[in-house]
Amino acid sequence: MSPEFWAIVSVGVALGVLMFYLFSSLDRRLSTVSGDVAALRERMAELEGAMDGFIAGQRGLLGHKGH
């Protein structure tokens, strides 16, 4: 087999290893972002509930002041 053949094979293997490393790194980073987004979603739900309670309380106060 010619040296050109082995060069092509070695470049293909090197690119495959590089792609595997980069995609596994990207997968770890996306998993971290996904976890962070889930935590933010929970915090936003808590804030939404607090705001709903606050607004309901304000409506109750406004209703009593008018009478």
Side-chain angles (χ1 to χ4, degrees), residues 5-45:
F5 171 78
W6 290 113
I8 292 170
V9 169
S10 61
V11 167
V13 169
L15 286 174
V17 169
L18 179 65
M19 287 177 54
F20 177 76
Y21 172 74
L22 291 176
F23 284 127
S24 64
S25 174
L26 181 64
D27 184 48
R28 284 192 303 268
R29 291 174 66 189
L30 286 176
S31 295
T32 302
V33 169
S34 177
D36 292 345
V37 168
L40 287 173
R41 185 179 297 126
E42 290 177 12
R43 291 175 64 188
M44 288 298 293

